Amino acid sequence: MILRILILLVLIVAPATAGAAECAQSPGKVIELCVSVAQGEARYEVRRNSNILFAPGRLGLDFKGEPAARFTALTGAERRAVDTSWQQPWGEQRVIRDHHVELAVTLAGDTPLNRAVRVVFRLFDDGFGFRYAYDAIPTGQAVEVAGERTEFRPAGAWQAWWYQALGADRDEYLYTQTDARRITLAETPLTMRGADGLHLSFHEAALVDFPSMLLQGDGAGTLKAWLMPLPDGIAARRTGPFVTPWRTVLIGDSAAALADSRITLNLNDPSKLGDVSWFKPGKYVGVWWEMHLNKTSWGSGAYHGATTANVKRYIDFAAKYGFDGVLVEGWNKGWDGDWIANGDKFSFTQAYPDFDLPALAAYGKARGVRLIGHNETAGAVPNYEAQLAGALKLYADAGVSVIKTGYVRPSGTLVDAAGGQHWFADQYLVRHHLHVVEEAAKRRIAINTHEPVKDTGLRRTWPSWVSREGARGQEFNAWGNPTNPPEHVTILPFTRMLAGPMDYTPGIFDLTQGKSELTRRVQSTLATQLALYVVLYSPIHMAADLPENYTARLDAFQFIRDVPTDWEMSKTLAGEVGDYAVVARQPRGGRDWFLGAVTDENPRKLIQPLDFLAPGKRYEAQIYRDAPDADFRHNPLALEIERRVVTGADRLELALRPGGGTAIRFKPLD
């Protein structure tokens, strides 16, 4: 729904000579970007508040079969100012404002495929994006992209939070903080902080039919786009005409400003699905954590977890405590033996004998609980695609409206029908994931992708793509060596979460699991597990622990029952990457507010103004906080629950213990 539109268009058709620049400024004149052609290169540079932010960086693609193009001129420029608002069907913020200035230029090159390249820049006050449009390539002409020239050359000294790309475990790694000049090959979003406190985040938007972009450092501060190649080394195969994804940079005076940017969403196309009211944000439980704890198994036999009797137990628990979904993993044939190596043996329609899908679907429906489907592929894409229609029909007939997919296989070894081995986010996998989403949407089924291609805001265009994993999640706290340190959840809001929702699966109450070694158990306090429901956004959140661990702590469990997953607005109130984060969200259509705060291994006291609350109104603050002696190392379960009356004029002390947090519900009294 478009709520407000203001578009001004100015067309300039006179060609610019080599060396002349075309420039544009963001709506508030915070950012100025200039593009020029000189010495055979097309380059762009960026100033912020009149200061150089990005030194001139190269632009363009290279194609197999022709030499690197020399650009000779800018053949024209188009500018327009846009100020619109649109509404998400679900999300971290209902109404999104899109306020930008667009500059489109055409680069004249000396090779057939680069003879006329349109580059579109969109400038926001908090960042910018640009993409390449190869409109001059004739319709249907096949081309092979060999590589990308795009450079980012931030001026000055920067610290970066990143991990080495192309690892076997896809994006499931802990972040490291280094001088940005030490970056070798990094995944995005890549976050950097300058000496003056300015923050940058590099990513992409609208990744469709193109390989994922990584960033390759040169040891001196320049980052160059590096595209995940297909097995034969080609980056992408396209037919003309085509456009690339947007290359994006978020810019903020603080880490919190990055977290509240909506540029990535704004650079995606409007929804293709129309009414998606059949998807309902919510919370779920499921047969999952017990498998990671080795209490039951995915495979058949005496320890099989996905049995009719066990799933009924979870359905009863969900119905009693107000959860609308139950995830069931390990229900289908194929889990026995080395399933990662034998993904082609999975059946997505045949259940193990002790699992009755129709009966369980009916049992859940009678209690107001839907099953959440699960299709683990082990990266055997051809096997899954061959069975996809049958699997989706099976689930649709059972009333399943969300499917969690999985691709647990070392990156670089996902095999296509011809035997070619793929990276987990090359063009082949990008195409596959969107194909699954499109086919599922036809049957009113939403997708939650694990081991995914990273999120690039496609949830705007395909709002049935509701969440993804794409980072080191809670499962590593069951068997990781080491498990996630406390700082991990203070880094995610300013790195991975800038891409989009994450299915982190919070809510573990048995934090030690009988283990004495700190790095083999959950490294957080109980209050942190509650706060994560607010800090880490997803429209579907799991209460991941075993039912009996919740019934043993119904006092703490109440916050999980109360916290929603769909929001009217969200505000990142404070934070530093790797240190702490404080987030407040207001439920869609409601008057409550919820706040979550988490810290790293260091205790800290934060004085938080409550000026996000409605002025002049009183609220009951239901506070779940670390007890004074709480510590993730030796006393993680120590929790205090307090109720007090507050107003928007108050300031609240958040006393976060080591590895700790605070979760608050503000309930209106007036």
Side-chain angles (χ1 to χ4, degrees), residues 69 89 114 142 184 196 215 223 244 249 281 283 312 326 369 389 415 434 436 443 459 482 497 499 511 524 541 603:
N114 276 297
T184 50
D196 60 354
L215 293 174
L223 300 171
T244 69
V249 181
K283 300 185 293 289
K312 281 185 175 181
V326 171
V369 178
V415 180
L434 187 53
V436 172
R443 298 159 176 86
R459 58 197 166 104
M497 300 305 300
L511 297 167
S524 84
H541 259 318

Side-chain angles (χ1 to χ4, degrees), residues 64 86 113 303 306 353 416 427 434 470 581 587-588:
K64 183 179 179 181
W86 56 279
L113 298 178
Y303 295 99
D416 61 28
Q427 185 186 24
L434 187 53
R588 183 170 296 209

Side-chain angles (χ1 to χ4, degrees), residues 50-65:
S50 301
N51 299 314
I52 295 176
L53 181 57
F54 286 92
R58 298 198 307 162
L59 296 166
L61 301 182
D62 292 319
F63 293 90
K64 183 179 179 181

Side-chain angles (χ1 to χ4, degrees), residues 3-53:
L3 304 180
R4 184 178 66 253
I5 301 178
L6 172 62
I7 299 178
L8 303 175
L9 177 64
V10 178
L11 176 63
I12 300 175
V13 295
T17 59
E22 294 287 354
C23 301
Q25 293 182 319
S26 64
K29 302 188 184 307
V30 178
I31 295 171
E32 181 181 55
L33 183 147
C34 295
V35 58
S36 60
V37 171
Q39 299 177 335
E41 296 284 1
R43 296 179 182 271
Y44 75 100
E45 59 182 318
V46 179
R47 291 178 179 267
R48 184 175 188 266
N49 296 326
S50 301
N51 299 314
I52 295 176
L53 181 57

